[in-house]
Amino acid sequence: RGRGRARRGRARERARERRIEQIRMGDADATVAEVSSHFGACGLKVATKRTQKKPCACCHKFFADSTALEAHWKLVQHSAHDAVCNACGRHFPSYDTLRQHLVGNLPKASCAEAYKRAGCERCYEIFQDDEATASHACIFRETEDADDDVDDWPCVALDCEFVGVGEAGEKHACARVCVVGSSGEILLHTWVNPGEEVTDYREELTGATPEKLADAPSLERVRAIVVQILLGKAVQTRREHVGVKHLLIGHSVEHDLEVLDIKWKKGMRRDTAQFPLYLRHTHLPFKLRALAEQFLGEKIQEEGEAHDPCVDARISMRLYQAAKRRDHGVAKRWFDITLKDHPVVVPDDATSDPNAGIELLRRTVDHDGAAHTTRFYCWCQDRGARSRAGPPSPPPADRRRDGKSAKPSSDTAATPSSSSSASPGP
């Protein structure tokens, strides 16, 4: 115990010395008050003067000075695409963090009360009265016009079920494939013969049996049909979408592409497992069944039932269509409220000065309406993509930090792999 106290004392002395050095170098505003030491050695006790903190106008976090605030703003890139609390205007990186703000273990009391009184349980929007709540058209509820608009880029959703191959069944092989269109219509649904010995059928999850796979079409044939659908050259393709490469929707869709041995450009994928607004507060992905129950109110992949790839593909498509219909009205309304009274008169004895944060928000809104300067590619930008010059822009993760386009790597090629170029079977 004595050695522990000595170590802690030496650590305090070193921290005090570093603080004194910062003062001498001009990095802190403080005054030397008196000489004191816990161990009898000479040391300086420093009293720091009070400074006004700088709050962020969007996430309401406090920073020591304007430099730290600007660094934060450049890092998080607040925009209208964030999840925003309608009661206080605070921005959140995902729906899960917004949910915890409203109904979590430690919610904000005023916002939680407003949400409990009149709030949507799926999109977490808060309303003034019951009449506004009743007239609310939630983006996560199915509507008659949920299908793609004529100006939207065509899309299909893909889901596969895997069986185990290899000595212990640790490797994955495709056993079942389903592709659905933008309105949930089935374009392809078939069992697949993987062409190699299956050591683990995983029947409780996939429903696969030796008889079903033995009579199924080969992996090469199914792969060719999927490629033709993605390229807009299949017989199932709508007339207005013939010859147009389709957006690929799915949940962890890179695994499906891997077992099918298909390469599809990352900028043409929309993965519900990686979309920032659908992530956990820990920045890890939810399972598809959790997203389906939380946002769509549907229970899928229940215990004891085999997974249905058609249901999974439709759920992924509905989640994509919901994110694409976001209008960001809550964020825009709070932008107007925040900027209305700028600059704010701040007393000299105030502990914080919000003007620096509001000025950063004003600059962003004046530059692009806070719609394009964002930390992620929001799927609402897919609306009307066909009426623009080209296909939807790739997510920022596919771009270099200096703004120049990076050369596509072998796993982000814009065309399917050579093994996928065969024509579909009859």
Side-chain angles (χ1 to χ4, degrees), residues 251-264:
H251 192 79
S252 297
V253 71
E254 71 276 4
H255 300 313
D256 300 326
L257 293 174
E258 182 180 356
V259 296
L260 289 172
D261 193 21
I262 296 176
K263 291 182 173 64
W264 200 244

Side-chain angles (χ1 to χ4, degrees), residues 270-399:
R270 301 292 182 265
D271 196 337
T272 56
Q274 301 299 328
F275 187 52
L277 293 180
Y278 289 153
L279 296 179
R280 299 176 186 268
H281 66 281
T282 57
H283 307 291
L284 296 175
F286 278 104
K287 290 186 179 295
L288 184 61
R289 63 171 174 264
L291 293 176
E293 185 172 2
Q294 179 180 350
F295 295 111
L296 306 179
E298 295 192 11
K299 292 186 177 181
I300 63 172
Q301 302 177 355
E302 294 193 275
E303 191 72 25
E305 294 183 1
H307 295 187
D308 188 344
C310 291
V311 173
D312 295 350
R314 284 178 175 139
I315 291 296
S316 298
M317 178 60 75
R318 287 182 59 187
L319 290 170
Y320 166 74
Q321 297 282 15
K324 192 172 71 171
R325 290 195 295 269
R326 297 180 69 222
D327 61 0
H328 313 298
V330 175
K332 294 173 182 177
R333 182 176 73 85
W334 274 100
F335 286 164
D336 294 339
I337 294 174
T338 304
L339 298 175
K340 182 179 179 181
D341 299 326
H342 176 65
V344 179
V345 178
V346 182
D348 294 336
D349 58 347
T351 58
S352 63
D353 180 7
N355 285 315
I358 298 176
E359 177 62 22
L360 287 174
L361 176 62
R362 184 191 63 78
R363 270 190 262 159
T364 304
V365 172
D366 290 347
H367 181 259
D368 60 6
H372 300 291
T373 304
T374 177
R375 61 189 169 86
F376 66 97
Y377 181 86
C378 185
W379 293 345
C380 73
Q381 298 176 71
D382 288 346
R383 292 200 305 266
R386 292 196 70 189
S387 62
R388 298 193 288 268
S393 302
D398 290 344
R399 298 177 177 175

Side-chain angles (χ1 to χ4, degrees), residues 58-85:
C58 291
C59 66
H60 303 177
K61 293 181 179 179
F62 287 85
F63 299 90
D65 51 34
S66 299
T67 304
L69 175 61
E70 291 181 6
H72 159 77
W73 190 276
K74 185 177 181 180
L75 177 65
V76 300
Q77 294 182 299
H78 289 304
S79 70
H81 301 283
D82 298 333
V84 181
C85 175

Side-chain angles (χ1 to χ4, degrees), residues 55-205:
C56 176
C58 291
C59 66
H60 303 177
K61 293 181 179 179
F62 287 85
F63 299 90
D65 51 34
S66 299
T67 304
L69 175 61
E70 291 181 6
H72 159 77
W73 190 276
K74 185 177 181 180
L75 177 65
V76 300
Q77 294 182 299
H78 289 304
S79 70
H81 301 283
D82 298 333
V84 181
C85 175
N86 201 5
C88 65
R90 184 176 177 181
H91 288 228
F92 296 90
S94 67
Y95 280 117
D96 190 42
T97 51
L98 173 58
R99 179 189 63 82
Q100 296 206 16
H101 171 73
L102 297 173
V103 294
N105 295 328
L106 294 172
K108 185 176 180 180
S110 57
C111 298
E113 181 63 28
Y115 176 75
K116 184 178 180 180
R117 183 173 59 253
C120 178
E121 62 182 7
R122 296 190 182 179
C123 67
Y124 304 112
E125 194 166 339
I126 301 173
F127 308 94
Q128 298 295 330
D129 48 40
D130 294 338
E131 183 179 351
T133 306
S135 61
H136 168 57
C138 180
I139 59 174
F140 292 107
R141 300 186 185 276
E142 283 189 299
T143 58
E144 295 180 357
D145 59 346
D147 196 3
D148 281 345
D149 186 79
V150 292
D151 292 331
D152 292 350
W153 206 264
C155 58
V156 293
L158 169 70
D159 190 76
C160 300
E161 297 298 332
F162 310 143
V163 292
V165 297
E167 291 186 5
E170 72 281 358
K171 296 182 181 179
H172 300 308
C174 184
R176 197 176 180 185
V177 174
C178 181
V179 181
V180 302
S182 57
S183 57
E185 71 279 13
I186 297 177
L187 305 179
L188 173 66
H189 183 207
T190 180
W191 291 97
V192 181
N193 188 334
E196 53 185 317
E197 182 182 1
V198 178
T199 54
D200 185 2
Y201 284 90
R202 305 171 186 173
E203 188 172 351
E204 67 281 358
L205 295 178

